[in-house]
Amino acid sequence: MEQQQQFLRSDSRLSEPIESFDERREDEYYQAADDADDTIRRPISATDATRRRESSIFATQQKRQSVISAAQSRRESLLIEPVHAIATPRPTLLFALASDDVDEVRRVLENGDAGPNDDVGPLSALAFTLANDKLKNKMQMVKMLLAHGADTTALRDPEAEERAEVSSRRGSGRLSKLLENVDPATRYYIERADSPQTRRTSALIHRSYFRPLTRVRYDLIGQDRVLEQLFRVLSMPSMAPIVVLLCGPSGHGKSLLARKFGSLLEVPTHTVNMTTLRDTNDIWKSHSIAPHEAPSDASLKDFLIANEGKRCVVVLDVPTLRQEIEKTHDEKILSSLLMPWEYGRCSFEAGHRHVDVSKVIWLGTSNIGHDLVFEHQDQRPAPETQLSREEYVDLMTLLRPRVSERLGPSLLSRVTAVLPFVSFTMEEKMAIAAEALYALSGEAVSTMPPATRDMIVRTSLNSYIPPEGARSLYRAVSTLLLDTL
């Protein structure tokens, strides 16, 4: 019984013991092969004996090689993965775009699973998105592709480009007919990406830590000169902390740029409402008030200690111009920022160690100088066109004394740059109104006749209020939607 169990066959071949080839017993394998090949011997001639001996030697060599190959093959076969194992395919940009899912497009691009210039069939990803009229989130996906570096040259019309070369004109005329039926906002973002000024501005921080900030131009309409000057400031080597004041009229993108600063650089942000401060040390006790940040009980002091020596962003919502009697009180409150902005370190209490804040990016937003911006705009020869580089530098020069009167020369001397936000051009107003229409109407805009969409965008411009900026256009579009739907 025991002998029978010893030679029972296993239920599965996978449970059989592995027959390994022991090189130390190599001669025994060869001898066993020879014994198995023994034949009945009879007298043979000398010639036949020689031939037989040579044949036997050759056969022995062949068997040795066969035994070795069989043992090695068995060992190697155990390491080979099963043939039924199938790898999960990597997601492609085509599937992400065709799914009409903005978050999926963002995930594919940010994970590096696909590039913004990958071909989608016979078209580029950008051309495929523009040509697909069934996409409800076309504008957002176009902005996503452009922000990640989609090349607009694939959209250019060779015939239009040749005419532009002859007439020495550069601009939207070079782009293909794919843009004929797109909304004003999508057209604006594509033409902005195709602009030579955009490429020159991006080159300023192309190899810089701040390169991700170039994506903000696909969230912020207008303010090309602000971004150009900002990138110039960030490209300059400096040992002093970075302190930038964003000034100008309300509704022109100051808070949006400040909010996007930290998220694009993927660093933490703390926003302080300066209007609530009453004492010099109140600033360090203030909690972050930005609605787009994660709720936290940490004060500015806690935030700076937690991010000591690290890159982070502090946004200061500086109050607007008040009565002359309050100016001295405000200067006293802001005086606690003198040491951090000058030396990159600060002490929250007397006798305590200094905290390293040299890597903090300080951004101030204020309406200071909003009247100066409109005065400067009215004096220009062509008020509805974009400012030239020279005109913007002139406006910066005029604005700095106004800010000095409000904040004091001692504090302003430690500010890296004061950037005025300027009025919108007609093209930028159209883009803002179109973006407001798509944001406020949701999926209903896809069922709306093109003539109705165009009517809402153009009619809303009549309700534009310069001191309120984009907010007045959003309000006008909302009112027109209520009357239309």
Side-chain angles (χ1 to χ4, degrees), residues 73-92:
S73 176
R74 183 172 180 82
R75 291 201 308 269
E76 292 174 357
S77 66
L78 298 174
L79 302 177
I80 299 176
E81 295 182 359
V83 294
H84 60 269
I86 302 176
T88 303
R90 296 174 63 190
T92 65

PDB file of all heavy atoms in Angstrom, residues 73-92:
ATOM      1  N   SER A  73      15.576  23.952 -19.884  1.00  0.00           N
ATOM      2  CA  SER A  73      14.293  24.414 -20.405  1.00  0.00           C
ATOM      3  C   SER A  73      13.208  24.305 -19.349  1.00  0.00           C
ATOM      4  O   SER A  73      12.342  25.166 -19.228  1.00  0.00           O
ATOM      5  CB  SER A  73      13.913  23.599 -21.643  1.00  0.00           C
ATOM      6  OG  SER A  73      12.633  23.969 -22.094  1.00  0.00           O
ATOM      7  N   ARG A  74      13.249  23.235 -18.543  1.00  0.00           N
ATOM      8  CA  ARG A  74      12.247  23.065 -17.491  1.00  0.00           C
ATOM      9  C   ARG A  74      12.382  24.145 -16.420  1.00  0.00           C
ATOM     10  O   ARG A  74      11.401  24.691 -15.929  1.00  0.00           O
ATOM     11  CB  ARG A  74      12.381  21.680 -16.859  1.00  0.00           C
ATOM     12  CG  ARG A  74      11.305  21.395 -15.802  1.00  0.00           C
ATOM     13  CD  ARG A  74      11.343  19.971 -15.354  1.00  0.00           C
ATOM     14  NE  ARG A  74      10.318  19.722 -14.365  1.00  0.00           N
ATOM     15  CZ  ARG A  74       9.052  19.466 -14.646  1.00  0.00           C
ATOM     16  NH1 ARG A  74       8.648  19.456 -15.910  1.00  0.00           N
ATOM     17  NH2 ARG A  74       8.175  19.234 -13.686  1.00  0.00           N
ATOM     18  N   ARG A  75      13.652  24.473 -16.063  1.00  0.00           N
ATOM     19  CA  ARG A  75      13.856  25.529 -15.065  1.00  0.00           C
ATOM     20  C   ARG A  75      13.367  26.877 -15.586  1.00  0.00           C
ATOM     21  O   ARG A  75      12.733  27.644 -14.895  1.00  0.00           O
ATOM     22  CB  ARG A  75      15.336  25.624 -14.680  1.00  0.00           C
ATOM     23  CG  ARG A  75      15.837  24.430 -13.884  1.00  0.00           C
ATOM     24  CD  ARG A  75      17.104  24.795 -13.120  1.00  0.00           C
ATOM     25  NE  ARG A  75      18.117  25.384 -13.985  1.00  0.00           N
ATOM     26  CZ  ARG A  75      19.048  24.656 -14.614  1.00  0.00           C
ATOM     27  NH1 ARG A  75      19.048  23.342 -14.497  1.00  0.00           N
ATOM     28  NH2 ARG A  75      19.951  25.246 -15.363  1.00  0.00           N
ATOM     29  N   GLU A  76      13.699  27.210 -16.851  1.00  0.00           N
ATOM     30  CA  GLU A  76      13.329  28.508 -17.414  1.00  0.00           C
ATOM     31  C   GLU A  76      11.824  28.633 -17.597  1.00  0.00           C
ATOM     32  O   GLU A  76      11.248  29.705 -17.450  1.00  0.00           O
ATOM     33  CB  GLU A  76      14.040  28.710 -18.747  1.00  0.00           C
ATOM     34  CG  GLU A  76      15.552  28.861 -18.604  1.00  0.00           C
ATOM     35  CD  GLU A  76      16.231  28.902 -19.963  1.00  0.00           C
ATOM     36  OE1 GLU A  76      15.505  28.760 -20.976  1.00  0.00           O
ATOM     37  OE2 GLU A  76      17.467  29.080 -19.999  1.00  0.00           O
ATOM     38  N   SER A  77      11.165  27.500 -17.912  1.00  0.00           N
ATOM     39  CA  SER A  77       9.719  27.555 -18.128  1.00  0.00           C
ATOM     40  C   SER A  77       8.970  27.935 -16.863  1.00  0.00           C
ATOM     41  O   SER A  77       7.869  28.480 -16.909  1.00  0.00           O
ATOM     42  CB  SER A  77       9.210  26.208 -18.648  1.00  0.00           C
ATOM     43  OG  SER A  77       9.374  25.204 -17.649  1.00  0.00           O
ATOM     44  N   LEU A  78       9.571  27.642 -15.713  1.00  0.00           N
ATOM     45  CA  LEU A  78       8.928  27.991 -14.446  1.00  0.00           C
ATOM     46  C   LEU A  78       8.955  29.490 -14.193  1.00  0.00           C
ATOM     47  O   LEU A  78       8.195  30.002 -13.375  1.00  0.00           O
ATOM     48  CB  LEU A  78       9.614  27.260 -13.289  1.00  0.00           C
ATOM     49  CG  LEU A  78       9.529  25.727 -13.354  1.00  0.00           C
ATOM     50  CD1 LEU A  78      10.376  25.125 -12.245  1.00  0.00           C
ATOM     51  CD2 LEU A  78       8.087  25.263 -13.233  1.00  0.00           C
ATOM     52  N   LEU A  79       9.847  30.228 -14.881  1.00  0.00           N
ATOM     53  CA  LEU A  79       9.974  31.673 -14.667  1.00  0.00           C
ATOM     54  C   LEU A  79       9.144  32.475 -15.651  1.00  0.00           C
ATOM     55  O   LEU A  79       9.006  33.682 -15.502  1.00  0.00           O
ATOM     56  CB  LEU A  79      11.451  32.084 -14.795  1.00  0.00           C
ATOM     57  CG  LEU A  79      12.409  31.375 -13.840  1.00  0.00           C
ATOM     58  CD1 LEU A  79      13.832  31.818 -14.134  1.00  0.00           C
ATOM     59  CD2 LEU A  79      12.032  31.649 -12.397  1.00  0.00           C
ATOM     60  N   ILE A  80       8.618  31.821 -16.690  1.00  0.00           N
ATOM     61  CA  ILE A  80       7.853  32.529 -17.701  1.00  0.00           C
ATOM     62  C   ILE A  80       6.452  32.804 -17.183  1.00  0.00           C
ATOM     63  O   ILE A  80       5.796  31.922 -16.635  1.00  0.00           O
ATOM     64  CB  ILE A  80       7.788  31.704 -19.010  1.00  0.00           C
ATOM     65  CG1 ILE A  80       9.205  31.497 -19.555  1.00  0.00           C
ATOM     66  CG2 ILE A  80       6.901  32.397 -20.039  1.00  0.00           C
ATOM     67  CD1 ILE A  80       9.242  30.609 -20.775  1.00  0.00           C
ATOM     68  N   GLU A  81       5.965  34.060 -17.367  1.00  0.00           N
ATOM     69  CA  GLU A  81       4.634  34.418 -16.903  1.00  0.00           C
ATOM     70  C   GLU A  81       3.577  33.699 -17.721  1.00  0.00           C
ATOM     71  O   GLU A  81       3.790  33.391 -18.895  1.00  0.00           O
ATOM     72  CB  GLU A  81       4.424  35.932 -17.021  1.00  0.00           C
ATOM     73  CG  GLU A  81       5.337  36.733 -16.117  1.00  0.00           C
ATOM     74  CD  GLU A  81       5.058  38.212 -16.238  1.00  0.00           C
ATOM     75  OE1 GLU A  81       4.179  38.554 -17.045  1.00  0.00           O
ATOM     76  OE2 GLU A  81       5.708  38.984 -15.536  1.00  0.00           O
ATOM     77  N   PRO A  82       2.436  33.409 -17.140  1.00  0.00           N
ATOM     78  CA  PRO A  82       1.364  32.750 -17.887  1.00  0.00           C
ATOM     79  C   PRO A  82       0.972  33.553 -19.117  1.00  0.00           C
ATOM     80  O   PRO A  82       0.957  34.779 -19.093  1.00  0.00           O
ATOM     81  CB  PRO A  82       0.218  32.681 -16.872  1.00  0.00           C
ATOM     82  CG  PRO A  82       0.873  32.829 -15.537  1.00  0.00           C
ATOM     83  CD  PRO A  82       2.075  33.668 -15.753  1.00  0.00           C
ATOM     84  N   VAL A  83       0.621  32.871 -20.188  1.00  0.00           N
ATOM     85  CA  VAL A  83       0.307  33.540 -21.447  1.00  0.00           C
ATOM     86  C   VAL A  83      -1.008  34.304 -21.354  1.00  0.00           C
ATOM     87  O   VAL A  83      -1.284  35.160 -22.183  1.00  0.00           O
ATOM     88  CB  VAL A  83       0.234  32.504 -22.595  1.00  0.00           C
ATOM     89  CG1 VAL A  83       1.592  31.890 -22.830  1.00  0.00           C
ATOM     90  CG2 VAL A  83      -0.805  31.432 -22.286  1.00  0.00           C
ATOM     91  N   HIS A  84      -1.840  33.990 -20.349  1.00  0.00           N
ATOM     92  CA  HIS A  84      -3.131  34.653 -20.256  1.00  0.00           C
ATOM     93  C   HIS A  84      -3.051  35.992 -19.530  1.00  0.00           C
ATOM     94  O   HIS A  84      -4.057  36.688 -19.427  1.00  0.00           O
ATOM     95  CB  HIS A  84      -4.138  33.737 -19.528  1.00  0.00           C
ATOM     96  CG  HIS A  84      -3.714  33.386 -18.134  1.00  0.00           C
ATOM     97  ND1 HIS A  84      -2.969  32.266 -17.857  1.00  0.00           N
ATOM     98  CD2 HIS A  84      -3.926  34.024 -16.955  1.00  0.00           C
ATOM     99  CE1 HIS A  84      -2.746  32.203 -16.550  1.00  0.00           C
ATOM    100  NE2 HIS A  84      -3.310  33.260 -15.991  1.00  0.00           N
ATOM    101  N   ALA A  85      -1.873  36.400 -19.022  1.00  0.00           N
ATOM    102  CA  ALA A  85      -1.742  37.680 -18.321  1.00  0.00           C
ATOM    103  C   ALA A  85      -1.749  38.818 -19.324  1.00  0.00           C
ATOM    104  O   ALA A  85      -0.887  38.882 -20.203  1.00  0.00           O
ATOM    105  CB  ALA A  85      -0.453  37.708 -17.506  1.00  0.00           C
ATOM    106  N   ILE A  86      -2.718  39.749 -19.234  1.00  0.00           N
ATOM    107  CA  ILE A  86      -2.869  40.852 -20.178  1.00  0.00           C
ATOM    108  C   ILE A  86      -2.681  42.160 -19.432  1.00  0.00           C
ATOM    109  O   ILE A  86      -3.348  42.413 -18.430  1.00  0.00           O
ATOM    110  CB  ILE A  86      -4.253  40.829 -20.848  1.00  0.00           C
ATOM    111  CG1 ILE A  86      -4.442  39.484 -21.575  1.00  0.00           C
ATOM    112  CG2 ILE A  86      -4.415  42.000 -21.797  1.00  0.00           C
ATOM    113  CD1 ILE A  86      -5.813  39.327 -22.179  1.00  0.00           C
ATOM    114  N   ALA A  87      -1.770  43.030 -19.895  1.00  0.00           N
ATOM    115  CA  ALA A  87      -1.517  44.317 -19.247  1.00  0.00           C
ATOM    116  C   ALA A  87      -2.660  45.281 -19.532  1.00  0.00           C
ATOM    117  O   ALA A  87      -3.236  45.275 -20.619  1.00  0.00           O
ATOM    118  CB  ALA A  87      -0.194  44.899 -19.742  1.00  0.00           C
ATOM    119  N   THR A  88      -2.979  46.108 -18.550  1.00  0.00           N
ATOM    120  CA  THR A  88      -4.024  47.118 -18.736  1.00  0.00           C
ATOM    121  C   THR A  88      -3.509  48.219 -19.652  1.00  0.00           C
ATOM    122  O   THR A  88      -2.448  48.783 -19.417  1.00  0.00           O
ATOM    123  CB  THR A  88      -4.414  47.745 -17.383  1.00  0.00           C
ATOM    124  OG1 THR A  88      -4.826  46.699 -16.511  1.00  0.00           O
ATOM    125  CG2 THR A  88      -5.538  48.751 -17.565  1.00  0.00           C
ATOM    126  N   PRO A  89      -4.216  48.547 -20.732  1.00  0.00           N
ATOM    127  CA  PRO A  89      -3.723  49.562 -21.657  1.00  0.00           C
ATOM    128  C   PRO A  89      -3.693  50.939 -21.015  1.00  0.00           C
ATOM    129  O   PRO A  89      -4.531  51.266 -20.187  1.00  0.00           O
ATOM    130  CB  PRO A  89      -4.746  49.511 -22.812  1.00  0.00           C
ATOM    131  CG  PRO A  89      -5.993  48.950 -22.184  1.00  0.00           C
ATOM    132  CD  PRO A  89      -5.513  48.005 -21.129  1.00  0.00           C
ATOM    133  N   ARG A  90      -2.705  51.758 -21.397  1.00  0.00           N
ATOM    134  CA  ARG A  90      -2.603  53.116 -20.882  1.00  0.00           C
ATOM    135  C   ARG A  90      -3.689  53.983 -21.492  1.00  0.00           C
ATOM    136  O   ARG A  90      -4.035  53.843 -22.668  1.00  0.00           O
ATOM    137  CB  ARG A  90      -1.229  53.708 -21.212  1.00  0.00           C
ATOM    138  CG  ARG A  90      -0.077  52.999 -20.556  1.00  0.00           C
ATOM    139  CD  ARG A  90       1.230  53.569 -21.054  1.00  0.00           C
ATOM    140  NE  ARG A  90       1.363  54.967 -20.701  1.00  0.00           N
ATOM    141  CZ  ARG A  90       2.319  55.757 -21.177  1.00  0.00           C
ATOM    142  NH1 ARG A  90       3.212  55.273 -22.019  1.00  0.00           N
ATOM    143  NH2 ARG A  90       2.393  57.009 -20.815  1.00  0.00           N
ATOM    144  N   PRO A  91      -4.266  54.898 -20.708  1.00  0.00           N
ATOM    145  CA  PRO A  91      -5.303  55.771 -21.263  1.00  0.00           C
ATOM    146  C   PRO A  91      -4.705  56.695 -22.315  1.00  0.00           C
ATOM    147  O   PRO A  91      -3.563  57.141 -22.199  1.00  0.00           O
ATOM    148  CB  PRO A  91      -5.778  56.562 -20.037  1.00  0.00           C
ATOM    149  CG  PRO A  91      -4.647  56.495 -19.068  1.00  0.00           C
ATOM    150  CD  PRO A  91      -3.980  55.172 -19.302  1.00  0.00           C
ATOM    151  N   THR A  92      -5.467  56.986 -23.344  1.00  0.00           N
ATOM    152  CA  THR A  92      -4.995  57.866 -24.409  1.00  0.00           C
ATOM    153  C   THR A  92      -5.755  59.172 -24.358  1.00  0.00           C
ATOM    154  O   THR A  92      -6.842  59.270 -23.779  1.00  0.00           O
ATOM    155  CB  THR A  92      -5.190  57.204 -25.780  1.00  0.00           C
ATOM    156  OG1 THR A  92      -6.603  57.041 -26.021  1.00  0.00           O
ATOM    157  CG2 THR A  92      -4.491  55.849 -25.842  1.00  0.00           C
TER     158      THR A  92
END
